[in-house]
Every structure is written in structure tokens, then in C-alpha cells.
Amino acid sequence: MTNFSKIALCAMVIGAGTLFTSCNDSDDPAPVQLSLYDKLGGETLVADPTHPGQMIEHGRLSYRCVVDSTITLIVADIVNGANGNLGAHFAPIAGEVFGPDMNTTNVAILSDNLTDFFSFNTGGTNAVNTYSGLSMANAHNPAVNSRMGAKASPANYDKFEGYVVAAAALNGVTDPTIVGEVGTVLESLRSTIVQTQ
């Protein structure tokens, strides 16, 4: 399945999920506070578009689609040379994908790790949403993680946030409130991930 087909399929699944709303029939006037994970589909099981016959939590699928689209956008810019310094940061990963062996195994692992991280840290409480990877500081430090080519600068992180917003839009996540919450999560990580000025 092409990357565009995967993005389109994920966008349709996420878009369909956002059509449903929940009602609170209780007499309690206090509004139910949904986690970001719940707002992105929560623990409702849906068919996994990339693994026929398997089910996946809708919130996890939403994150996976946005993560995969973000990776696709970054790789496309690296290939096209339009990414400024971000190419140096992701050079080892791009080298794996575009090297002589065309190894995408580690990109799949990266996608799973990022999906785990965001799912777990935004309200995905099911056991499938556990994160056991490196801390964000270590994951983005080339001295600790050889898959990072350079420390991230503020400009690198700004560019990354732009990719995430674009990837969210590609997958039908355009509600300003939800996009704002995603931005808040990303900004909460900035001081840990950005290690240069």
C-alpha cells in the first residue's frame, strides 16, 4: 500500500470517528473531561486498515496515522532537500531507509515507539499503550542515541511541530481545540528535546 493510500485510509477512519458525539444523560452538571486520547477516538476498537483482520483502539490508530504521516513528510523533505537542518538531525534514520539495504524496520520501530509514547501520555490507559523507550532527552541526544545525527535546535523543533500539524490535517484532525491540545503536548516536550540554541 502506498504512503498516500495509507494516509487516505487513516484519514477516512479518523474522520468517521469524529462524527460521533457522546451525551451525558446524568443530572450531574459537571462536564466530563475527556483525555486527548479519548478525543482522538479512545479505546473504541476499530478495524486496523493496515493489518486486515485485526482491531486497534481508535485513539491509537489516530496517533499512528499522524505519526506515520509526520515521518513521511520529514522523509519527503529530506529527499527533496527542502528541510534545512532537520536533515542532519534525522540523517541516520534517512540513511537506513535510503541506504543500499533499504531497511525500514527501524522506521517501523520509531513509529511504534512514538505511537506508544503519545498514546500512553495523553490518556491511553489500556495495556497496549505502554512506553518503554528512552527518555525524550536521551532519545534526542546523539551521544546516547546513534539514530540521531545532531542535537535539535529551536528551529528544528518548530519545523517538526509544523510537520505534526500538517500530518494531523492530512488525517482529518483539524478541530482547533484538539490541534491546540496536541500543540500543548508538543510544547511541554520542547525543553527536553531541544538541546542546542
Side-chain angles (χ1 to χ4, degrees):
M1 184 178 285
T2 67
N3 283 334
F4 179 75
S5 298
K6 287 180 187 176
I7 291 170
L9 191 54
C10 286
M12 289 188 314
V13 170
I14 292 170
T18 59
L19 294 176
F20 298 101
T21 59
S22 63
C23 297
N24 184 353
D25 291 332
S26 83
D27 292 333
D28 184 1
V32 175
Q33 295 295 321
L34 297 176
S35 69
L36 182 55
Y37 189 80
D38 288 331
K39 291 176 185 177
L40 291 171
E43 295 180 3
T44 302
L45 292 177
V46 296
D48 188 333
T50 58
H51 299 95
Q54 294 183 19
M55 302 297 281
I56 186 171
E57 289 184 0
H58 195 182
R60 184 172 181 80
L61 175 62
S62 297
Y63 273 119
R64 189 183 73 198
C65 289
V66 172
V67 164
D68 288 349
S69 295
T70 301
I71 292 169
T72 299
L73 291 170
I74 291 170
V75 170
D77 268 2
I78 290 171
V79 169
N80 296 325
N83 63 336
N85 295 328
L86 206 52
H89 186 69
F90 289 107
I93 296 171
E96 292 169 0
V97 175
F98 299 110
D101 297 331
M102 299 276 299
N103 182 354
T104 58
T105 301
N106 286 330
V107 173
I109 292 169
L110 173 64
S111 173
D112 285 343
N113 280 341
L114 286 171
T115 300
D116 288 344
F117 179 83
F118 286 111
S119 295
F120 178 75
N121 286 292
T122 61
T125 57
N126 193 319
V128 72
N129 298 314
T130 59
Y131 177 73
S132 58
L134 296 171
S135 70
M136 288 297 101
N138 286 338
H140 293 87
N141 183 347
V144 177
N145 182 2
S146 63
R147 297 189 68 229
M148 289 290 108
K151 290 183 177 183
S153 70
N156 294 148
Y157 201 70
D158 291 344
K159 190 151 192 117
F160 173 75
E161 284 182 331
Y163 287 129
V164 173
V165 171
L170 286 171
N171 288 284
V173 181
T174 57
D175 180 302
T177 302
I178 293 175
V179 172
E181 287 185 46
V182 171
T184 299
V185 170
L186 293 174
E187 279 302 308
S188 74
L189 300 169
R190 180 182 286 270
S191 63
T192 303
I193 293 172
V194 173
Q195 299 177 10
T196 66
Q197 295 303 315

